[in-house]
Amino acid sequence: TESTDDAEIDGDVIAISPRVPGHVAEVLVEDEQLVNKGDVLVRLDPKDYEIAVARAKADLNNELASLQTSRTDVPLTTATTGSTLSGAKSTRQEAAAAITWAEQQRSVSQARLSLAQANVKVAEANANKAAQDVERYKTLVAKDEISRQLYDQTVAASDAAKATVDAQKAAVVEAQHAISAAGI
């Protein structure tokens, strides 16, 4: 028989730290389960990455709209000559330039509308994530696991995200009115 007054158990504790930041959506292993190299232990919530993709697409649309705008900023010039015949040619050229300018303005207005619509999607994605954060934090603050200040900041961020959605939707309406008003 063996007996002891001071029992001890030796063991190894291995800390696991992620290489990728994010919220854990699912834990795929149980406590004290044997795992092998390469096994999937957790699944991360993909919403942060989806928002990053949407933001990158909005940035691309913004840059495309800026490119289109810079093209319309190039001043339209008309050439005139000193002869009577050149007066008639210049009137024709001015009409062609007005058509070109109107077409460019249409392209710019449509690009701005596309940008505004993309910004709405980004703002809605951010507002959705902020609302989800508020819901998660609501239970944590009720249990006193997080500070009230952190919860209040999250609520304020959610309200700001909702306001951003409204502002971006207003920009879409403004862009649509600009297209309608121009008769394009």
Side-chain angles (χ1 to χ4, degrees):
T1 61
E2 294 179 20
S3 66
T4 181
D5 288 336
D6 187 16
E8 289 186 23
I9 297 176
D10 290 332
D12 295 325
V13 175
I14 299 172
I16 298 174
S17 63
R19 291 183 184 173
V20 180
H23 294 285
V24 174
E26 179 180 7
V27 178
L28 302 174
V29 294
E30 298 294 324
D31 286 343
E32 299 180 23
Q33 175 182 340
L34 181 64
V35 294
N36 297 313
K37 180 178 180 180
D39 285 352
V40 177
L41 305 179
V42 296
R43 294 199 194 284
L44 298 179
D45 186 359
K47 287 183 177 60
D48 291 336
Y49 305 107
E50 291 168 355
I51 290 170
V53 169
R55 185 172 289 136
K57 286 180 181 178
D59 289 344
L60 173 63
N61 285 336
N62 187 28
E63 292 304 318
L64 290 174
S66 294
L67 174 64
Q68 194 65 27
T69 301
S70 68
R71 288 182 180 163
T72 62
D73 289 341
V74 176
L76 299 174
T77 59
T78 57
T80 59
T81 61
S83 69
T84 306
L85 183 57
S86 68
K89 287 180 182 179
S90 118
T91 301
R92 188 174 130 272
Q93 288 174 347
E94 287 174 4
I99 290 170
T100 301
W101 183 82
E103 289 172 348
Q104 289 174 344
Q105 288 303 106
R106 178 188 62 208
S107 295
V108 168
S109 295
Q110 288 172 341
R112 286 186 180 144
L113 177 59
S114 294
L115 173 62
Q117 290 168 335
N119 286 341
V120 166
K121 289 180 183 178
V122 170
E124 287 174 340
N126 288 338
N128 186 25
K129 182 187 179 307
Q132 289 172 349
D133 287 346
V134 167
E135 288 304 312
R136 279 194 294 265
Y137 285 8
K138 188 182 292 183
T139 58
L140 295 175
V141 79
K143 296 178 189 177
D144 254 353
E145 292 180 7
I146 63 169
S147 69
R148 182 69 183 182
Q149 180 182 9
L150 179 59
Y151 175 74
D152 290 343
Q153 289 171 345
T154 304
V155 170
S158 178
D159 292 343
K162 290 174 189 173
T164 301
V165 169
D166 293 341
Q168 294 301 335
K169 285 181 179 180
V172 168
V173 170
E174 181 182 338
Q176 290 170 335
H177 285 305
I179 289 173
S180 297
I184 298 173

